[in-house]
Amino acid sequence: QVQLVESGGGSVQAGRSLTLSCEISGHTEKGYCLAWFRQDPGKEREGVATVYVVGGIIRSGTTVYADSVSGRFTISTDNAKNTLYLRLNSLKPEDTAMYYCAASPRSWCPSSWADSRLFSYWGQGTQVTVSS
């Protein structure tokens, strides 16, 4: 069992930055595929970024970003705090959405990681609103 709690969302102007946090508790010593998703009302949930983590440490070379955020968003972890972060730079109005942290206990992150059905643990979400 894993529990995920997101925070850090807010309302900002285009071009500004935010850092989202996902505090992870439970059996964190295991390997998990972790991901950030986002969803705007009326749209499908979109995979934003993924990373494979074992014991809170990112496995090298496993970070993948959606094309829409590549170069602007950065995923990272703080092992001591059992926290997954998503740094959002150069925000655009189209980044407005509810952002969710998700976890899947497995030995790797598959190439189909953006399929939300692969993830069994979800946080409650944190809202990001970007105005022009």
Side-chain angles (χ1 to χ4, degrees), residues 12-119:
V12 297
Q13 290 188 320
R16 303 298 291 269
S17 299
L18 282 173
T19 298
L20 308 183
S21 300
C22 174
E23 186 173 348
I24 305 168
S25 59
H27 295 292
T28 57
E29 69 281 2
K30 295 183 179 179
Y32 286 91
C33 181
L34 301 178
W36 286 96
F37 284 79
R38 63 185 181 186
Q39 188 170 24
D40 218 8
K43 296 183 180 179
E44 289 190 1
R45 192 162 291 191
E46 176 191 10
V48 174
T50 189
V51 66
Y52 188 76
V53 176
V54 179
I57 299 174
I58 292 176
R59 180 170 289 175
S60 178
T62 63
T63 305
V64 179
Y65 298 96
D67 289 343
S68 58
V69 305
S70 182
R72 298 190 299 123
F73 291 8
T74 303
I75 197 169
S76 63
T77 64
D78 184 326
N79 183 32
K81 296 181 180 180
N82 285 332
T83 301
L84 178 73
Y85 299 100
L86 186 68
R87 176 70 174 177
L88 291 63
N89 291 328
S90 303
L91 281 162
K92 305 175 181 179
E94 51 263 43
D95 294 319
T96 294
M98 184 72 80
Y99 283 72
Y100 298 91
C101 175
S104 175
R106 53 177 66 238
S107 57
W108 82 105
C109 288
S111 58
S112 56
W113 65 270
D115 184 345
S116 61
R117 295 171 296 179
L118 294 176
F119 293 85

